[in-house]
Amino acid sequence: MFLRFKIRRKDGKQHRYWSVVENTRVAGGRVVQRHVLYLGEINDTQELAWRRSIEVLDDGAAQPRTLSLFPEDRCDGLLADASIVRVKLSELRLCRPRQWGACWLALMLWRELQLDPFWSKLLGVNRKGTRWDQVLFVLVAYRLLAPGSEWRLHREWFQRSALVDLLGEDAGLAEIHKLYRCHDRLLTHKQAVFDHLVARWRDLFNISYDVLLYDLTSTYFEADPPFPEGDKRRFGYSRDHRPDCVQIVIALVVTPEGLPLAYEVLPGNTSDKTTLRGFLERIERQYGKARRVWLMDRGVPTEEVLAEMRAADPPVHYLVGTPKGRLTRLEKPLIAEPWQEARPGVQVKLLAQEGELYVFAQSLDRVAKERAIRRRQLKRLWSRLKQLSTMQLTREELLMKLGAARDQSRKAWRLVETEVAADSATLSYRLDRKKLRQVRQREGRYLLRTNLVEEDPAKLWSHYLLLVRVEEAFKNLKGDLAIRPIFHQLEARIEAHIFTAFLAYCLHVTLARRLHALAPGLTPRSVLEKFATVQMIDVHLPTTDGRQLVLTRYTEPEPELKLLLKKLKLDLPAQPPPKITANALAPPTPL
């Protein structure tokens, strides 16, 4: 290790920023540098103290041999033999604890999807011997297990993981320039990945693709415009509640099981209703024309696209949510229709019009939930308005506090009429009972439309509930896999970052499908956390002749993890073979 500084000019002055850097020898005799610690600006005394604390060890080489081990205090009577090693148990040391279990599970999922031969064939090896498929796996495993920036992966996480041991490579896999260059090689293979995964999921889980879910989300950037012309980073409607940040839009197609089939990265100002036609054509090219049902939320399809879906040969079926405002037009015809029991607690009314079937559904549980939310908000707002009406405020202060109250209770605000005098800070308010009656009539009720006119109401309702799968996919991408915020600056690498997160989500959902058959309450994140408790350590045993015996071992799984391994039908690999150094400073070699 050694100290290294970088010079940066700021405020007309020159600043030195120091880091502790380690040289690591990798394949081909090359030496790569890894940032161990960032020290920032330090004074001369601190710099000297750090230099005195750093030790550099030179590694040698050794040849493998077969040895017999005996403690140093139990060797009486043994014949002199070069194959016998006496170890000093009193000086046993445990070194380099690193995360092994979750990394191993990620590798098993990667191999189960057969992504190792797939990417090995597509990415290959460069002339310097870099295996880009393994660099990609490092990126995907990092996104799955401990998502963060590529700089953090290079600087610290890779060294705290056991990926070197699992892949049989060295620290060269996590060189920062390799991580970024790997991004540049991915996007040309995106469609091939979609095709490969669809076939693999069909083999593993017997998945059919006759029902598809489609939705969009957005993810934001910590970046400041302006950007190059045609850049996809734009201001738009933010589902992350970050209108101050530029964003991109991600459109995703998944199966009812949550398995993703395709996605697309769109400009941040893309309107939802302009995206559907392209995906319909893509899925038709990929899977052919067949009886397929598309499930979508309101706001995604336009009337024009729905008409095209009905007129297609064969027709493309859909089930889509409809804004509650359409109830105003259909209210009278629906009143005359009888209620039907779709499932316990759910009633529906069916209305056929112009080749479509409108499904007006009400869920008793949802009615109770939405009414409780509305009552809580209305009670809070009413209490706040009562407080404001008694306060001694200026007119401007009163208006500002009213604006804050509206932001806290937007739904309830629509039910209250407020009025502030033009020349004073006098507040009057009253409940709009007509709007309240209208809201009560629509709470917990949904209007759906479909061209599946022959379908059973219960089946239509169960189909619509499947939309939570695509919302769950977005939740996992943004939560467990931390796809946001994005710090990349080049558009190609931004899309490659999304692609890497997509691959990590594929491992995530594959594990979820395996767990689903065991217990619905088992989540991929909880299982990964259980596996993460298995650590790998190096056991160093000094010998009486100055050498060191190194035993690399993963820790014994806890009983609950053993149970999980049994249920998942996974067997842990054998412990790595021991290694021994030729002398105290030489690197360990296998016995």
Side-chain angles (χ1 to χ4, degrees), residues 11 57 69 82 90 108 120 137 157 200 242 260 387 426 454 493 529 541 545:
D11 301 328
L57 300 178
L69 306 179
S90 59
M108 293 300 101
S120 177
F137 172 72
W157 184 82
R200 191 66 190 135
R242 289 299 304 270
Q387 290 177 352
T426 303
E454 78 282 0
R493 287 182 178 172
E529 288 173 355
L541 284 167
D545 57 3

Side-chain angles (χ1 to χ4, degrees), residues 184-430:
D184 301 334
R185 300 168 179 264
L186 301 179
L187 294 180
T188 56
H189 308 297
K190 190 163 72 170
Q191 187 57 51
V193 171
F194 296 158
D195 297 337
H196 173 81
L197 289 172
V198 166
R200 191 66 190 135
W201 282 323
R202 184 183 287 114
D203 295 340
L204 287 174
F205 308 120
N206 194 27
I207 299 297
S208 63
Y209 304 108
D210 53 354
V211 177
L212 300 180
L213 288 64
Y214 177 74
D215 206 353
L216 301 97
T217 192
S218 59
T219 185
Y220 62 89
F221 295 80
E222 299 290 351
D224 296 321
F227 303 111
E229 185 177 355
D231 197 287
K232 292 182 179 179
R233 288 170 289 181
R234 306 282 182 85
F235 288 105
Y237 170 68
S238 176
R239 296 162 178 84
D240 302 317
H241 308 292
R242 289 299 304 270
D244 58 314
C245 294
V246 291
Q247 65 176 19
I248 56 173
V249 171
I250 303 173
L252 181 66
V253 178
V254 303
T255 69
E257 296 79 16
L259 301 171
L261 298 186
Y263 78 92
E264 193 61 55
V265 178
L266 306 168
N269 59 355
T270 301
S271 174
D272 291 2
K273 62 185 180 182
T274 64
T275 63
L276 179 58
R277 183 180 283 111
F279 267 92
L280 291 173
E281 295 172 353
R282 169 184 294 188
I283 296 299
E284 184 177 296
R285 287 196 305 268
Q286 189 170 358
Y287 305 107
K289 294 184 178 182
R291 179 183 169 85
R292 188 171 294 116
V293 182
W294 286 79
L295 308 181
M296 298 165 284
D297 209 345
R298 62 180 185 267
V300 173
T302 62
E303 291 293 334
E304 182 182 357
V305 173
L306 290 179
E308 291 176 4
M309 295 173 74
R310 291 193 297 269
D313 184 23
V316 180
H317 298 294
Y318 59 82
L319 175 63
V320 58
T322 303
K324 291 183 178 179
R326 187 176 285 263
L327 274 174
T328 305
R329 180 166 65 85
L330 300 175
E331 197 166 14
K332 289 183 179 179
L334 282 170
I335 290 176
E337 299 295 331
W339 287 106
Q340 301 181 37
E341 192 80 12
R343 53 186 291 185
V346 177
Q347 295 177 318
V348 299
K349 288 186 176 185
L350 304 180
L351 177 64
Q353 278 194 357
E354 300 176 356
E356 289 185 300
L357 181 67
Y358 286 91
V359 183
F360 183 51
Q362 68 172 5
S363 167
L364 299 182
D365 291 339
R366 191 69 185 180
V367 169
K369 180 178 179 180
E370 291 187 8
R371 282 185 179 171
I373 294 173
R374 186 254 306 161
R375 286 170 178 166
R376 187 164 57 248
Q377 282 198 11
L378 189 57
K379 183 178 179 180
R380 180 176 60 206
L381 176 62
W382 199 260
S383 176
R384 182 58 175 163
L385 292 175
K386 185 177 181 179
Q387 290 177 352
L388 294 178
S389 65
T390 60
M391 288 182 179
Q392 298 296 321
L393 302 170
T394 64
R395 190 172 188 278
E396 289 72 17
E397 290 174 338
L398 177 60
L399 292 174
M400 290 180 64
K401 290 183 181 295
L402 284 174
R406 182 186 64 179
D407 287 341
Q408 291 181 353
S409 308
R410 286 189 174 273
K411 290 184 178 180
W413 184 268
R414 302 188 186 102
L415 306 177
V416 178
E417 292 185 358
T418 60
E419 185 177 350
V420 179
D423 54 352
S424 66
T426 303
L427 171 66
S428 60
Y429 56 95
R430 69 179 184 86

